[in-house]
Every structure is written in C-alpha cells, then in structure tokens.
Amino acid sequence: MFYLPDEVFVNGERFKTYISKETLDKRIAEIGQEINRDFVDKRPILIGILNGSFIFLADLMRHISIPCEVDFIKLSSYGDEKVSSGKVTERKELDANVEGRHIILVEDIVDTGLSLSYMVKKMKEKHPLSVTIITLLHKFEATKYDIDIDYVGFPIKNEFVLGYGLDYAQEGRNLAQIYVLDPEN
Ligand code: 5GP
C-alpha cells in the first residue's frame, strides 16, 4: 500500500496534497511515450540527479520500451533548508562514459535552474551527441538561469513542495504524491 495521507506533518510543519498520485502516474506515462517516440534507435542514457529524482526516474523508466541505460550523479544545493544555498556541491560523479551518447538528464524539480545549468555545462564537456532535460516539476517563476527544458511534468508556483522523492531536511521522500506547505499552518 502506498503512503498517501491527505495531509502530513514533516519537521513540525503541515503539508497538504498538491499533485495526486493518479495525476502523477498519468503525466509520467505520457512523458514515457514521448521518449519512446523521440529516442527510437538512439539508445539514450538517462542520468538521474540524486537524491530527489530517484522515484520519478524509476517510474518513468518503466514506461520506456526502447533500449536505454541509466546512471546517477549526486548534487546538493539545498542543505536542510527550504531555500537553495545558492551553490552546487557535487557528491557523486558519473560512472558511464557518455561521449557520443544521447543524454537525458532527469531532475525532480527546477527552481532557480542553478543545478541544471551546472549539470548541462558539465555534461557538454564530455562530448555527448545530445543533452535533453526532463524535470517532473518546474517553478517557472523562480528560474533565473537560462536553460532549455525539453519535457516538464508540471509547471508549479514558487512554493515549497515535498514527497515523491523530494524531501524536507531528508524527511518525506517516501510520500507517494506531491505535497505543498500549507500556508494555514
Ligand atoms: P535549483 O538549483 O534549480 O535552484 O534547485 C534545484 C534543486 O533544489 C532540486 O533538485 C531540489 O533538490 C531542490 N528544490 C528546489 N525546490 C524545492 C522544493 O520546493 N522542495 C524540495 N524538497 N526541494 C526543492
């Protein structure tokens, strides 16, 4: 049984349901179909940006029916706070050789765009054939860095969310849908 309360307290703050599991499932299946169509015969390598993207990536991959590979890289920009620290720290390197490959970067959420712009620059230095960006959530009003996002699950307001892989001070990743901080706390 999935962990799906209507509301939840994480680190003493109240969060309410924002994007339901049903809505997530439907949209992720659609993105999977688009990848199947757009990457046929390209054997893409999906690169998950840890930790937040691990659940989204796992679900997305199960909708991909063309040959593909996976690897992970770990970045950190939030620490344990609800606002970005403004600097990216790399905590795990890529293992795969991506030269001449079609890379699909899989991100949980784009906020300022700092992490992704850092990642795209780093990936391009490795001479791939292409770099495509997928994010489940996009805080479009908060994005300051110039990045072209190819597939967006859901554009969202500039609010703090958690669940479905996203944490608040390392808690809440196991929630099976997306929650938002309740202003009426
Ligand atoms: P950016 O570099 O785009 O400013 O921030 C991207 C990273 O910040 C995401 O990968 C995620 O780890 C974290 N982040 C941004 N917004 C949120 C949010 O609303 N909730 C959570 N849990 N993490 C966020």
Side-chain angles (χ1 to χ4, degrees):
M1 248 231 292
F2 286 111
Y3 180 31
L4 290 165
D6 290 334
E7 62 166 33
V8 62
F9 281 85
V10 178
N11 292 310
E13 295 187 71
R14 194 215 310 261
F15 289 81
K16 61 182 182 186
T17 305
Y18 190 46
I19 305 173
S20 70
K21 181 173 186 314
E22 197 188 359
T23 306
L24 285 172
D25 288 347
K26 188 164 165 281
R27 182 70 189 119
I28 292 166
E30 284 170 6
I31 299 176
Q33 295 318 309
E34 290 179 43
I35 301 294
N36 289 335
R37 196 191 56 217
D38 298 348
F39 286 86
V40 70
D41 296 331
K42 290 189 171 166
R43 200 185 174 90
I45 175 159
L46 283 81
I47 299 180
I49 306 177
L50 294 172
N51 288 336
S53 72
F54 76 109
I55 292 182
F56 171 44
L57 175 56
D59 281 349
L60 177 65
M61 255 192 118
R62 280 176 280 194
H63 289 286
I64 298 180
S65 50
I66 55 169
C68 63
E69 296 177 29
V70 70
D71 199 356
F72 294 92
I73 191 162
K74 187 165 179 175
L75 299 182
S76 167
S77 69
Y78 258 44
D80 283 346
E81 304 300 323
K82 290 205 292 287
V83 286
S84 173
S85 67
K87 76 176 199 288
V88 179
T89 317
E90 194 169 322
R91 296 172 187 269
K92 182 204 167 293
E93 256 286 357
L94 202 61
D95 292 319
N97 177 4
V98 292
E99 189 176 338
R101 304 291 307 273
H102 293 281
I103 292 176
I104 303 180
L105 288 175
V106 182
E107 181 62 297
D108 50 353
I109 183 164
V110 177
D111 183 0
T112 63
L114 172 69
S115 316
L116 258 186
S117 63
Y118 173 92
M119 276 291 291
V120 170
K121 186 165 167 279
K122 235 185 110 70
M123 289 303 125
K124 286 190 172 159
E125 286 166 4
K126 297 176 189 285
H127 308 292
L129 271 182
S130 65
V131 180
T132 297
I133 298 174
I134 299 185
T135 187
L136 179 63
L137 307 172
H138 183 203
K139 288 185 186 172
F140 57 97
E141 289 164 334
T143 305
K144 296 186 284 205
Y145 290 80
D146 188 21
I147 34 171
D148 289 327
I149 307 176
D150 302 278
Y151 307 86
V152 175
F154 302 90
I156 63 165
K157 292 258 182 196
N158 197 4
E159 293 173 301
F160 189 78
V161 293
L162 63 73
Y164 199 70
L166 289 135
D167 73 310
Y168 174 22
Q170 300 307 326
E171 262 190 61
R173 296 192 196 274
N174 48 326
L175 290 156
Q177 51 194 6
I178 303 282
Y179 292 79
V180 68
L181 189 64
D182 190 344
E184 286 159 31
N185 264 335

